[in-house]
Amino acid sequence: MAGHFGDKKNHIVTGSSPVTTQVPHAAGIALAAKMKKQDFVTFVSFGEGSSNQGDFHEGCNFAGVHKLPVIFVCENNQYAISVPLHKQVAGKIADRALGYGFPGIQVDGSDVLEMYRVTKEARERAARGEGPTLIEMISYRLMPHSTSDDDMLYRTKEEVEQNRQKDGILKFKEYLMECGLWSEDQDRDLQERQKQEINEATKYADLAPYPKPEDTLLHVYAEGDDQ
């Protein structure tokens, strides 16, 4: 996922299905911002499997050379579909940033406040013109990769349940309750509201008419003289 933060707005530019193509996109968006002297920082996320693709290295190198205002966030969830981390990576992904001339930080991805602190510092650094930051957030993929993925073929239920106890949402909920900022009643109400929103959105999508065949050309070609 690539996007940028600025002018009190967050703009999601692309959700990328091909692996890692969003990393060069992010570097390009950040380059455009720097050339146009626009005040925003680009943020891009990807999995640890993506960190082994050429697009990752090319995007990071380009961003480092030109000191671009971009934050690279590697969501290291331990599995690239069925391939475990130890068969993908030797060493820390965060350490790769040194080769591109900017900082790399490894952080506990289940710690909401620490992730906020590190990302905030990376944004401030980029906004000052000091270039990119690579954040490697250590997490775990609790669910199968997809509905067709039988994850029990390459990991155990015990491993999944052990990591489920480290779920960042549960940990943050417990922290807020300890601070007196949240309660079980509030949490139950939130869950109900979220469930209702999802059900309403699903119903809306199910009842929506199919698009016209010619709609496949929308947003593909420029239209009008002012484009």
Side-chain angles (χ1 to χ4, degrees), residues 79-84 140-141 143-146 149-156 159:
Y79 287 95
I81 306 182
S82 61
V83 183
Y140 187 84
R141 196 194 74 214
M143 305 300 292
H145 177 75
S146 67
D149 175 33
D150 184 358
D151 60 324
M152 291 298 101
L153 293 175
Y154 54 85
R155 60 182 183 176
T156 65
E159 178 186 317

Side-chain angles (χ1 to χ4, degrees), residues 115-184:
M115 275 301 304
Y116 177 82
R117 182 188 70 81
V118 169
T119 306
K120 183 173 183 287
E121 289 180 358
R123 192 208 178 283
E124 291 172 349
R125 182 174 177 276
R128 291 194 301 266
E130 297 176 14
T133 301
L134 171 61
I135 301 172
E136 179 188 2
M137 52 172 289
I138 305 300
S139 60
Y140 187 84
R141 196 194 74 214
L142 294 173
M143 305 300 292
H145 177 75
S146 67
T147 55
S148 62
D149 175 33
D150 184 358
D151 60 324
M152 291 298 101
L153 293 175
Y154 54 85
R155 60 182 183 176
T156 65
K157 289 183 179 180
E158 290 75 17
E159 178 186 317
V160 175
E161 288 306 314
Q162 184 180 12
N163 280 278
R164 195 181 299 278
Q165 305 307 313
K166 304 174 185 177
D167 188 340
I169 295 176
L170 296 178
K171 288 173 63 177
F172 192 51
K173 172 188 170 182
E174 292 172 0
Y175 169 80
L176 292 176
M177 291 179 69
E178 289 174 2
C179 294
L181 300 173
W182 198 244
S183 68
E184 288 292 355

Side-chain angles (χ1 to χ4, degrees), residues 42-202:
T42 302
F43 173 101
V44 61
S45 61
F46 48 92
E48 81 282 353
S50 287
S51 71
N52 300 320
Q53 298 292 320
D55 284 359
F56 166 79
H57 300 284
E58 292 161 15
C60 286
N61 185 66
F62 190 83
V65 169
H66 297 282
K67 291 189 178 299
L68 300 181
V70 57
I71 305 170
F72 298 104
V73 177
C74 176
E75 299 174 355
N76 183 351
N77 64 15
Q78 313 301 309
Y79 287 95
I81 306 182
S82 61
V83 183
L85 183 66
H86 70 272
K87 291 186 177 181
Q88 303 176 56
V89 176
K92 294 181 180 179
I93 295 171
D95 289 346
R96 297 179 179 183
L98 296 175
Y100 305 120
F102 54 86
I105 304 167
Q106 190 180 75
V107 62
D108 180 0
S110 69
D111 188 333
V112 175
L113 297 179
E114 184 66 5
M115 275 301 304
Y116 177 82
R117 182 188 70 81
V118 169
T119 306
K120 183 173 183 287
E121 289 180 358
R123 192 208 178 283
E124 291 172 349
R125 182 174 177 276
R128 291 194 301 266
E130 297 176 14
T133 301
L134 171 61
I135 301 172
E136 179 188 2
M137 52 172 289
I138 305 300
S139 60
Y140 187 84
R141 196 194 74 214
L142 294 173
M143 305 300 292
H145 177 75
S146 67
T147 55
S148 62
D149 175 33
D150 184 358
D151 60 324
M152 291 298 101
L153 293 175
Y154 54 85
R155 60 182 183 176
T156 65
K157 289 183 179 180
E158 290 75 17
E159 178 186 317
V160 175
E161 288 306 314
Q162 184 180 12
N163 280 278
R164 195 181 299 278
Q165 305 307 313
K166 304 174 185 177
D167 188 340
I169 295 176
L170 296 178
K171 288 173 63 177
F172 192 51
K173 172 188 170 182
E174 292 172 0
Y175 169 80
L176 292 176
M177 291 179 69
E178 289 174 2
C179 294
L181 300 173
W182 198 244
S183 68
E184 288 292 355
D185 288 340
Q186 287 174 299
D187 196 70
R188 191 161 42 250
D189 290 342
L190 176 62
Q191 296 280 356
E192 285 300 319
R193 290 199 307 271
Q194 291 175 331
K195 183 178 179 180
Q196 182 178 350
E197 288 181 15
I198 292 172
N199 288 340
E200 289 175 353
T202 302

Side-chain angles (χ1 to χ4, degrees), residues 7 30-40:
D7 301 325
L31 176 64
K34 184 173 183 178
M35 293 174 67
K36 295 180 178 180
K37 301 187 185 304
Q38 294 176 316
D39 183 23
F40 67 74

